[in-house]
Amino acid sequence: MKQNRILAYCAMAVSLLASCKDSPDIPDTTEKISTEYSIWVTSATGSYILTTDDLMKNTLLTPAGNKGIDISGYLPGDWYGVYAYNYQGKFYLSNDGTRFSQLEIQDNATMKETNNYAFPSAFYLGKVLNELNSKDELVITKTAGTYNAAKNVLEQPIYFMNVNNLTLNKTLTVDIPFLDYKPLTPDNKPYIAPYMVPTSFTVRSGKMFVGHKYRGSDGTGNKDILDSTFVYVCDYPSMANGKLLKDARGGIVAGHWEVNNTTFLDDNNDLYILTKKIGPSTYGLVRIKAGETEIDKDYFFDLKDYNVFKNTSASTIQKLGNGKAYISPYVVDPANKKITADLRILTGGAEPKTTMNLIENGKLYDAFKTDASKWYIYEYDPATNAVKRGAEIDGGISHVYHINKLK
């Protein structure tokens, strides 16, 4: 009997301790980091993830004093941020071209690899087919396909990656035909080993549109060649009935190998494709109207008078909604061929610096650097055409790659 009372008292004590631990009067001393948003930055010392619960909070975000998550060990060079992607709070890196990693932020302010996948051949993360993604599946390409000499095509794989266990659900391959051509350098010499680079993938109404360009070496390095817009169109998902579109008014389909977007679908389902003339480095938009598979001959939005992408490492076009899109540093109305805002003016002369911006609830979040070399997150609301200044970023950084939503 005495033993039973002792056991009862012990049980009561355990219960009281548990209730005390959960009591709101006793603070939880466990140090937690903010994991609502992340900003991927680089500096002279490495690559870091800065986290915050509010991008508009009046605070300083810095890697100094171990306040940032050092991810330098996962990257052979800080510029590999262009081969990385954040999806539903997890980071995906292609690292050194052999290992595709899934990483997650931990409560102790570290980044941990939670899974990885080894592709059978060299792999660097290419485009993300956003319109095909689902909660459990990330649809991606790699930066370079395989030339099939017998068919004279570039075989470009599209991978459907299960993000729960990092396995491939399936792989589709689009065959993009090579042109029969012998391009010459400005010195009238043949380019060395010309090759093709897909720069955009868009799926719309049972059709896949692949923007691509040609590159080759002139003896001093690889250069963009064939200054026209090339888009390959085929059925999706069968990849049958393909045809090649060409338009000399635009330039190459802008972009290179990074995951940045160079196309967008507007509210009418019209497809806009960003192009770039090689020599003068000027941009423009071509359009393929909803339900059609030809480039609109009556439409070209010439952006040669606008110095777009002056301060960013890669071209990106993002849909803002209500007929607007963001082509850094401009807000554009593509359908009416208008520039509706210059964010440099709205931010008092600051220059946009982010490679990949965040759009949330119809608002744009971009990082800007002021004349005084201070970095800030700015929020742009297209409904009011107004900006707000948010968190400051440590002035010792050299680049901002991503602004991401983690939750």
Side-chain angles (χ1 to χ4, degrees):
M1 197 71 175
K2 184 176 180 180
Q3 183 180 9
N4 288 339
R5 279 202 296 274
I6 291 173
L7 291 173
Y9 292 149
C10 289
M12 288 176 63
V14 170
S15 177
L16 285 170
L17 285 172
S19 64
C20 288
K21 182 179 179 181
D22 295 335
S23 171
D25 298 327
I26 299 177
D28 185 356
T29 58
T30 304
E31 184 177 355
K32 291 184 172 60
I33 63 170
S34 302
T35 55
E36 192 74 20
Y37 301 93
S38 70
I39 299 95
W40 180 325
V41 303
T42 60
S43 71
T45 58
S47 298
Y48 303 90
I49 299 292
L50 310 179
T51 62
T52 180
D53 55 0
D54 185 357
L55 292 171
M56 292 293 100
K57 187 176 181 179
N58 183 18
T59 188
L60 176 66
L61 304 176
T62 175
N66 295 322
K67 293 182 179 179
I69 302 171
D70 190 343
I71 59 171
S72 306
Y74 292 107
L75 299 171
D78 59 12
W79 58 272
Y80 275 69
V82 298
Y83 299 115
Y85 196 71
N86 178 275
Y87 189 63
Q88 297 192 2
K90 299 178 182 180
F91 291 85
Y92 295 89
L93 282 68
S94 51
N95 294 339
D96 60 358
T98 58
R99 186 185 186 93
F100 182 63
S101 297
Q102 179 188 79
L103 301 102
E104 296 182 59
I105 294 175
Q106 306 298 301
D107 285 340
N108 63 350
T110 61
M111 185 78 88
K112 179 182 178 182
E113 184 183 69
T114 51
N115 213 333
N116 66 76
Y117 182 85
F119 283 91
S121 58
F123 176 88
Y124 288 101
L125 181 59
K127 299 298 175 183
V128 178
L129 281 66
N130 294 305
E131 65 271 19
L132 298 182
N133 289 343
S134 64
K135 179 179 179 295
D136 300 314
E137 193 172 63
L138 181 64
V139 185
I140 57 178
T141 66
K142 64 177 181 176
T143 57
T146 302
Y147 176 60
N148 186 318
K151 296 192 296 183
N152 195 34
V153 301
L154 180 77
E155 297 175 332
Q156 184 69 36
I158 301 170
Y159 304 106
F160 293 73
M161 178 69 71
N162 186 321
V163 296
N164 298 311
N165 56 20
L166 226 61
T167 60
L168 292 182
N169 290 332
K170 64 178 178 181
T171 301
L172 296 178
T173 301
V174 55
D175 289 347
I176 309 171
F178 267 81
L179 298 178
D180 184 12
Y181 73 107
K182 293 181 179 179
L184 300 177
T185 69
D187 297 330
N188 287 322
K189 297 178 180 178
Y191 278 95
I192 303 168
Y195 62 99
M196 187 194 297
V197 178
T199 59
S200 71
F201 290 79
T202 308
V203 174
R204 181 188 71 180
S205 303
K207 296 288 184 179
M208 174 173 282
F209 300 83
V210 184
H212 54 280
K213 65 181 181 179
Y214 288 87
R215 286 173 63 80
S217 174
D218 63 355
T220 64
N222 289 331
K223 311 289 184 180
D224 292 331
I225 56 180
L226 292 182
D227 205 359
S228 291
T229 300
F230 292 97
V231 180
Y232 179 69
V233 185
C234 61
D235 294 343
Y236 178 84
S238 70
M239 304 298 181
N241 300 315
K243 65 178 180 180
L244 184 65
L245 309 182
K246 179 182 178 181
D247 195 311
R249 295 174 303 167
I252 60 173
V253 178
H256 191 31
W257 292 338
E258 302 88 348
V259 296
N260 307 65
N261 293 321
T262 54
T263 65
F264 84 104
L265 294 168
D266 71 3
D267 297 330
N268 297 319
N269 218 26
D270 292 340
L271 171 62
Y272 291 87
I273 302 170
L274 188 64
T275 72
K276 176 185 176 182
K277 283 294 184 184
I278 298 170
S281 294
T282 57
Y283 289 82
L285 288 174
V286 299
R287 179 174 70 185
I288 301 177
K289 298 178 72 173
E292 298 185 6
T293 57
E294 296 289 343
I295 296 174
D296 187 348
K297 299 301 181 184
D298 298 323
Y299 178 91
F300 182 72
F301 187 5
D302 194 342
L303 296 169
K304 70 175 181 299
D305 295 329
Y306 300 93
N307 195 8
V308 299
F309 307 121
K310 174 185 176 183
N311 298 297
T312 56
S313 67
S315 52
T316 297
I317 183 167
Q318 293 169 286
K319 178 179 177 180
L320 294 175
N322 297 316
K324 304 295 193 301
Y326 183 51
I327 307 177
S328 175
Y330 301 102
V331 178
V332 301
D333 176 355
N336 296 300
K337 303 179 187 178
K338 291 181 179 180
I339 302 291
T340 63
D342 183 343
L343 296 197
R344 296 172 300 182
I345 296 174
L346 295 181
T347 58
E351 297 281 359
K353 292 290 187 179
T354 312
T355 300
M356 280 183 275
N357 312 301
L358 173 68
I359 294 178
E360 183 181 32
N361 298 324
K363 297 178 181 179
L364 168 74
Y365 298 88
D366 196 353
F368 287 73
K369 187 178 182 181
T370 69
D371 290 340
S373 295
K374 287 183 173 292
W375 297 71
Y376 293 97
I377 301 292
Y378 277 88
E379 173 193 271
Y380 172 72
D381 187 346
T384 60
N385 195 37
V387 298
K388 294 180 182 178
R389 196 178 79 182
E392 182 180 356
I393 305 173
D394 191 316
I397 68 168
S398 55
H399 198 87
V400 178
Y401 276 114
H402 305 227
I403 301 176
N404 295 309
K405 174 78 170 177
L406 295 179
K407 288 185 178 179

